Amino acid sequence: MNSTLLAVKAVSKHFGGLKALDQVTFEIRPREILGLIGPNGAGKTVCFNLISGVYKPTAGEIIFNGERTQGKAPHQIARRGVGRTFQIVKPFATLSVLENVLVARGISRYNHLGKIWSSWKSRAEIRQALEVLDRVGLADLAHRKAALLPLGNLRRLEIARALIVGKRLLLLDESFSGLRHEEILQLEQLIRNIRADGITVLLIEHNMRVAMGLSNRVVVLDHGRKIAEGSPQQIQQNERVIEAYLGRKGHSHAA
Amino acid sequence: MNAYLITIATLICINAIVACGLNVIVGFAGQISLGHAAFFGIGAYSAALLATKAGLSFWAALPLVVVITALIGLLLGLPSLRVKEDFLAITTIGINFIVEAIFLYIPFFGGALGIGGIPRIMLFGVRLKGLTFFLLCLFFLLLVLAFCWWFSRSWGGLACFALREEESAAASMGISPVRFKLLAFVIGTAMAGLGGALYAHYIRFISATDFSFPVSVLLLSIVVLGGMGTLWGPVVGAVILGALPEVFRPLVDYRFLFYMLLLLLMIRYQPAGLLGEGSMVHRVFSLLLPEGKK
C-alpha cells in the first residue's frame, strides 16, 4: 500500500495579489494525526478548503489516495472518504441533531438517482446514527433542534457528521476553540479513539497544548508558507516557529 | 352545492397543486422562485395545444404535459440555479416575463387571442364539469400531497433540507448542490405542469396574462402564508388566499390593500407561516400532543 494518504505538492492559492498559500508541500501518512498550526492568517483554513475542494489551487498538486483531487468539487471529495468540520460551525439549524447526522449517512446514496427515494426514517439508519451520536456524547440530545445547541455541542455534532463521511481522512478545523476544559479533555480522548480506529486526522489547532499533545507530526505555516515540519518536540524548539509566534528574539531590545 | 362555491373550490385546488410544487422548490430546497407561474403556463399551454392541435385526450396528454414542463424546468433551472438568493429571484422573474412574452407574441401559441375551445375532460364516458371536475382536482391534489410527504421522508428530500440550511456543509457530505436543486426544481415544475393542464381543461380558454408575474407573486404568497416547507401549508395558503377575494368582493378596489396588510401582519407575527415552526397553530398542536415525535 501507499505510505502517503494525502500529498500536498507545491500548492499555491492566490486571491488577486494576496498569496494566501505559497508553494506549500506536506504529506499525511495513514493512521497519523498531523497538526497544522500557525498564527492567524497563516493560511491554515485555506489549506483545508483546498484539500476539501472548496477552492481550486492556483498552482500545485493535491493527491489523495493516489488520485489527483485538485479541482474536484467538495461533494466529490467527500465521497472519497474525506470528512471535515468548519471553523465557523455550520449545523443544519432547523433539523434535529439526529437528522443532521442522518444527512451524512446518506453519502453513499446521493450519487445514484435510484437510491434517493427510499425513506431515511428506517430503524436501522436511526440506530446507526444514534451510535455515532453516542460516540461523541450527544445521544441524549438526538431529538433536539440543532439551532438550540451550545457551541461545544455543535462542534461535537460536526465531528459526528464528519466521522461518517471521513472513512479515510478527517479534517478538523479548530474543533477545540470555544470549549471548556473538561470538554477539551473529552474531545482529545475522542480523537485518539478515532485514530485507533485507523482514521487519519489532519487537525488545525490554536490551542498549543492540545496540538502538541495530540499530533504525531506538526506542520507550521506562517504568511502562507511552510516554515517548519517535525515532531512536536522539534517544533517547540524551532527558532523560526518561536519567531513567528512571539516575534524575533532581542529585536525589540536592540531597537 | 352551488356552482359558485364549486368554481372557487376547484380553482383553490388547482392553485394548491401548483403551490405544492413551489413549496418543494422554495420550502424544501430553499431556492426562491418568483417565476413559478411560467411553468403553470407551460403546463396549461402544452395541454391546450395537445388537446386542440394534436387532438389528444386529457389522459393521453397528461404524462406528456408533465414531462414537457419538467424538461423545460430542467433546462431553465440549469443556468438559474447557479445564482443564489436575490439574483435567483430576479432570474426567475425574468423567466416569467420571457415565457409570458413567448405565449403572447408567437402566433403558434395563439398570440394575444390565446387558445380557446379546449375540450372538457372525459372519464369513463362522463364529461367532467362542476362537482366531478372538482373531485378530479381534489384527487390530484391528494396525489401531489402524498408525493410531497413521501419526498420529505426520502434521502433526496433530506439532501434538499440540508442544502436549504447550509449549502457548503451539505456539499461536504457528498450532496451535489446543483443536482439536488435541479431535482427539487424539476419536481416543482412538474407539479406546476399538472396544475396547468387541469386549469386549461377547466377554464377552456387560456391566454398569456393568466400566467403573468402577479400570479407568481400570488403563488409565493400562498406558500409563505401557509408555511414554507410544511406539508399542508400550501393548501391552507391556497384556501385563505382563494377565499379572501370572494369574502372581500364588495371591497374589490381595495383588495390588494388587504393582501398587503395580511402579508405585513404575517411577517410581523407569524414569520414561519400559519403552519410553520413556532406558529400559533404549531404551538397549539404541540400543547395538545406533548409527546410530539419531532
Side-chain angles (χ1 to χ4, degrees), chain A residues 94-111:
Chain A
T94 67
L95 304 187
S96 73
V97 170
L98 181 68
E99 286 161 350
N100 265 266
V101 172
L102 282 165
V103 171
R105 283 201 53 86
I107 185 154
S108 56
R109 300 170 179 269
Y110 298 136
N111 200 25

Side-chain angles (χ1 to χ4, degrees), chain A residues 74-75 78-79 84 86 90-95 99 102-107 109-112 115-121 125 143 145 161 165, chain B residues 147 150-159 161-177 179-180 183 187 277 293-294:
Chain A
H75 65 271
R79 224 175 279 138
R84 69 164 295 178
F86 295 87
K90 294 179 188 287
F92 304 125
T94 67
L95 304 187
E99 286 161 350
L102 282 165
V103 171
R105 283 201 53 86
I107 185 154
R109 300 170 179 269
Y110 298 136
N111 200 25
H112 310 278
K115 287 191 187 170
I116 57 172
W117 301 103
S118 55
S119 173
W120 45 271
K121 293 195 174 177
E125 286 293 342
H143 297 282
K145 205 152 288 280
R161 297 190 307 194
V165 175
Chain B
F147 182 85
W150 180 40
F151 186 62
S152 73
R153 299 169 61 92
S154 74
W155 290 100
L158 189 64
F161 297 155
L163 269 182
R164 174 189 71 196
E165 298 299 321
E166 274 294 344
E167 191 171 321
S168 52
S172 80
M173 277 155 234
I175 296 167
S176 158
R179 180 180 301 196
F180 281 91
L183 178 71
I187 292 173
E277 199 67 37
K293 272 193 197 154
K294 261 217 128 176

Side-chain angles (χ1 to χ4, degrees), chain B residues 31-48:
Chain B
Q31 304 304 306
I32 189 84
S33 170
L34 272 166
H36 205 56
F39 301 100
F40 185 28
I42 290 166
Y45 268 82
S46 357

Side-chain angles (χ1 to χ4, degrees), chain A residues 35-108:
Chain A
L36 190 60
I37 66 169
N40 284 324
K44 305 182 295 289
T45 297
V46 172
C47 201
F48 260 38
N49 284 337
L50 287 169
I51 296 170
S52 63
V54 177
Y55 299 145
K56 290 179 177 51
T58 311
E61 267 192 328
I62 298 171
I63 295 177
F64 177 70
N65 214 19
E67 179 191 17
R68 289 164 56 121
T69 55
Q70 80 259 31
K72 290 210 189 309
H75 65 271
Q76 295 170 319
I77 291 180
R79 224 175 279 138
R80 285 166 171 75
V82 181
R84 69 164 295 178
T85 67
F86 295 87
Q87 186 178 3
I88 298 158
V89 288
K90 294 179 188 287
F92 304 125
T94 67
L95 304 187
S96 73
V97 170
L98 181 68
E99 286 161 350
N100 265 266
V101 172
L102 282 165
V103 171
R105 283 201 53 86
I107 185 154
S108 56

